[in-house]
Structures are given as C-alpha cells and as structure tokens.
Amino acid sequence: DCEVGAGLDERFYDFNRGLVAAVKGFLDVFLEGRDVPRFYVLETLARVPYFAYVSVLHLRETFGQRDDDHVARIRVHFAEADNELHHLLMMEALGGNASVVDRCLAQTLAVGYFGYCCALYATNRRLAYHLSELIEQHAYETYDSFLAERADELRARPEPDAARRYNEAEDAALWTLVCAEGC
C-alpha cells in the first residue's frame, strides 16, 4: 500500500492531525487578518521537516549507512529545504518578518517542531511524512484561499527580487537538479 501511513496505528496519525489542528487554530487567532506574517510563519515551519530529515540521515550516514536510497533521500530533502528557503525569502521580501513578535513566534515554533520531526523521522519515517503531508495540505488550502481572494491585487504587484532571482537562476533551483536524477 503506497498511501503514507497505511497500516500503522491510527492513534499516531490522530495525534499528528490534532497537533496540526491545534497549531493551525493558534495561528488563526494570533495572526488573524495578517496574511503575509502568517505565510512567513508557515514558510519558516515548512523548512523544518527537511532539516530534521537531513539531520537524521546525516547522523545515520555517520554511523555507516550510505546506500544509494539513503544518499538520494538526503539530496531530495536538501532540495526541498532549498525550495522552502526561497518561499521564506519571498515572504520576508513582502514584510512578513517585520515584527519581532512574529519572528519570535516562528522561530520558537520551529525549534519545537524540529525536535519533534527529528524524533519522528528517526523512529517512523512514514509517520514523519504523514505529518509533512498534513502541513503541506494546510499550506495549500491557506494559499489557495488567499489567491482566490487577492489574485488581481497580487498580479498588479511587482515580483519580489527574491522570487525573480530564484526563477532566473541558472540552475533554476536544486529541485530541478534532483528531479533530473529521477525523483
């Protein structure tokens, strides 16, 4: 069964769902009406799982695990982190990190999330990927709703320099390099 989390104890998935719902609820209240700071927090958090995965994989590599699948996972997760970095740079360019309170919130959540993701990935990779899937689904819904409401306004704005540099880069992001290897 290819579905993330298939065949594992549903209680763990319920915990992940509850955790995501609780953080989402908190952010809904704390960042209500402040879309760009909300996106800044989400993009700060979006990078965390990939750092955690790479950290665990590097630790395992240190202990001798260096098969092709292992190395490929490191490359993919590093590329995913790089992709999320550029999303974060775009949110910073739009002013999402202007408030020290928002930066502190994002960074504090990121530290706790990093620890949880490392522990999860080290013990149950499928459960860690399930958590990422839930986070990505929430991000998609958040951005999709925002775009539906403000597409015309966004089209009228100039492209942030961070986005332009990322889109015009010769390597067009690490992600394309990794995918050329067959992700």
Side-chain angles (χ1 to χ4, degrees), residues 44-172:
T44 300
L45 296 176
R47 302 177 69 209
V48 168
Y50 308 119
F51 288 137
Y53 303 164
V54 168
S55 296
V56 170
L57 290 166
H58 276 298
L59 182 62
R60 289 181 179 160
E61 186 180 58
T62 299
F63 295 127
Q65 186 176 354
R66 293 184 190 96
D67 57 82
D68 290 344
D69 180 60
H70 186 85
V71 172
R73 285 182 189 281
I74 290 173
R75 287 184 178 138
V76 167
H77 294 317
F78 184 79
E80 289 168 327
D82 182 65
N83 182 53
E84 295 298 345
L85 166 64
H86 291 86
H87 297 168
L88 180 62
L89 292 173
M90 288 175 221
M91 292 307 115
E92 288 176 351
L94 295 172
N97 66 337
S99 163
V100 69
V101 173
D102 295 337
R103 288 192 310 272
C104 185
L105 170 67
Q107 293 164 2
T108 301
L109 288 172
V111 169
Y113 188 35
F114 177 79
Y116 181 65
C117 287
C118 281
L120 209 53
Y121 195 80
T123 59
N124 189 325
R125 189 170 65 202
R126 286 176 27 186
L127 189 58
Y129 289 150
H130 173 256
L131 179 63
S132 291
E133 181 180 58
L134 292 172
I135 298 291
E136 290 296 332
Q137 180 64 35
H138 167 64
Y140 170 80
E141 291 167 0
T142 301
Y143 287 127
D144 191 53
S145 173
F146 178 77
L147 289 172
E149 294 173 13
R150 305 187 74 196
D152 293 335
E153 175 188 331
L154 292 171
R155 283 187 191 103
R157 295 177 84 168
E159 180 179 31
D161 285 341
R164 185 188 43 72
R165 283 191 307 271
Y166 182 63
N167 292 328
E168 293 174 358
E170 271 190 43
D171 67 2

Side-chain angles (χ1 to χ4, degrees), residues 32-52:
E32 182 178 10
R34 299 184 316 123
D35 293 317
V36 175
R38 177 189 185 84
F39 298 152
Y40 166 77
V41 171
L42 291 176
E43 291 303 339
T44 300
L45 296 176
R47 302 177 69 209
V48 168
Y50 308 119
F51 288 137

